[in-house]
């Protein structure tokens, strides 16, 4: 089980938070990752996870470091990127920047409603023919749809979906940065304009893309003292718990 302080940085090798506001929001809700060997073990051991720990599960057998980020192909992808991103965006970014990226009544959900061809609180039996984003999982709530939408938009912006464009068409029709800009322009604008937070990387690097940054390498912070005050050990990152949600 990975505690929430481990989510502090997706790309800074010194172990300091890119955005302490987001980290504080994640910690306030005791959110983080719980990793299991496979789905069978998840079903067997998930009961051991603390009831007040808001976790996103991830299985080792779906974590493929060689196919991570923009290294994904049509036949191989690293699920870790998506699942960890959901923890960063759901209890983190959407809470810290609710007006812009909140999962209800935000500028992002207005964009999502347009991309889905209408505001659907529950999953429709069929999306309008002009829908760009059409997810048919009936178990996915409106907030869940917003979480997925944010993932699709940001990873497409950072070229993380280029190799899976055709495979993504069942759910998402804007897998490249150019398509995102032309088909979902309002979301494209939300990503590039006036953001206090860092969206993955100032250089557009997705974790695990073959660089020393991210999932492809072993993460060993060289120091814990941070200019932002928020370090990998949780120091000055806000209290655990008390955030609800």
């Amino acid at each position: 089980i990975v505690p929430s302080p481990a989510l502090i940085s997706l790309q800074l090798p010194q172990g300091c938070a890119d955005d302490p506001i987001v980290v504080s929001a994640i910690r306030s809700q005791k959110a983080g990752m719980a990793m299991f060997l496979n789905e069978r073990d998840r079903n067997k051991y998930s009961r051991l996870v603390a009831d007040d720990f808001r976790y996103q599960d991830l299985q080792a057998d779906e974590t493929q470091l060689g196919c991570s980020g923009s290294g994904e192909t049509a036949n191989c992808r690293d699920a870790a990127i998506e699942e960890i991103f959901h923890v960063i965006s759901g209890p983190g970014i959407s809470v810290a920047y609710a007006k812009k990226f909140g999962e209800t009544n935000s500028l992002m959900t207005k964009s999502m409603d347009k991309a889905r061809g209408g505001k659907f609180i529950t999953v429709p039996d069929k999306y309008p023919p002009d829908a760009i984003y059409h997810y048919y999982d009936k178990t996915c709530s409106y907030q869940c749809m917003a979480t997925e939408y944010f993932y699709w938009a940001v990873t497409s912006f950072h070229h993380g979906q280029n190799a899976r464009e055709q495979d993504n068409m069942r759910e998402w029709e804007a897998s490249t940065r150019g398509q995102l800009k032309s088909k979902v322009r309002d979301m494209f604008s939300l990503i590039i304009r006036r953001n206090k937070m860092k969206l993955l990387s100032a250089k557009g690097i997705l974790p695990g893309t073959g660089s020393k940054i991210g999932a492809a390498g072993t993460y060993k912070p060289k120091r814990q003292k941070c200019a932002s005050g928020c370090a990998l050990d949780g120091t000055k990152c806000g209290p655990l718990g008390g955030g609800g949600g």
Side-chain angles (χ1 to χ4, degrees):
I1 299 173
V2 183
S4 52
L7 293 172
I8 282 174
S9 177
L10 286 181
Q11 73 267 16
L12 294 186
Q14 75 275 25
C16 297
D18 297 330
D19 192 328
I21 299 173
V22 171
V23 176
S24 180
I26 294 171
R27 284 175 58 83
S28 73
Q29 297 171 82
K30 288 188 177 181
M33 301 297 297
M35 192 166 189
F36 305 92
L37 180 62
N38 49 42
E39 188 172 353
R40 177 182 174 183
D41 273 17
R42 182 196 65 186
N43 295 335
K44 183 178 180 180
Y45 295 114
S46 59
R47 59 184 174 79
L48 301 178
V49 180
D51 291 338
D52 63 347
F53 182 53
R54 177 179 173 180
Y55 74 91
Q56 172 65 53
D57 64 278
L58 175 66
Q59 281 60 257
D61 63 0
E62 62 179 355
T63 303
Q64 304 291 332
L65 302 188
C67 306
S68 188
S70 58
E72 289 186 358
T73 68
N75 300 314
C76 184
R77 69 182 293 269
D78 179 19
I81 292 292
E82 178 176 0
E83 304 309 335
I84 294 173
F85 189 90
H86 288 341
V87 174
I88 301 296
S89 66
I93 293 172
S94 70
V95 173
Y97 303 98
K99 184 177 180 180
K100 193 170 188 179
F101 293 113
E103 294 179 342
T104 57
N105 300 317
S106 68
L107 295 175
M108 181 181 75
T109 56
K110 288 182 180 179
S111 169
M112 179 182 75
D113 293 339
K114 290 172 61 178
R116 295 176 79 198
K119 184 166 186 175
F120 304 104
I121 300 302
T122 58
V123 178
D125 292 329
K126 188 175 182 179
Y127 283 97
D130 60 342
I132 302 299
Y133 173 43
H134 26 76
Y135 193 28
Y136 281 101
D137 183 351
K138 295 288 185 178
T139 67
C140 194
S141 66
Y142 185 81
Q143 290 86 347
C144 166
M145 288 288 175
T147 299
E148 298 287 345
Y149 181 66
F150 194 27
Y151 160 77
W152 280 123
V154 173
T155 54
S156 296
F157 179 85
H158 285 298
H159 310 294
Q161 301 294 341
N162 289 11
R164 296 182 61 84
E165 180 182 349
Q166 292 304 312
D167 188 60
N168 292 344
M169 289 293 286
R170 295 171 297 176
E171 183 178 330
W172 176 247
E173 298 182 24
S175 292
T176 68
R177 181 179 290 191
Q179 291 170 348
L180 185 71
K181 185 176 182 179
S182 63
K183 296 182 178 182
V184 201
R185 191 171 185 83
D186 44 2
M187 187 60 186
F188 181 88
S189 296
L190 286 178
I191 292 173
I192 65 172
R193 294 179 182 173
R194 299 186 181 91
N195 286 311
K196 294 180 181 178
M197 62 181 173
K198 295 181 179 180
L199 293 171
L200 299 187
S201 167
K203 296 182 179 179
I205 299 172
L206 280 167
T209 54
S211 69
K212 295 179 181 179
I213 297 172
T218 301
Y219 192 77
K220 295 180 179 179
K222 295 181 180 179
R223 63 183 173 85
Q224 291 291 291
K225 187 176 180 181
C226 301
S228 67
C230 181
L232 189 63
D233 60 0
T235 303
K236 296 184 180 180
C237 298
L240 280 173

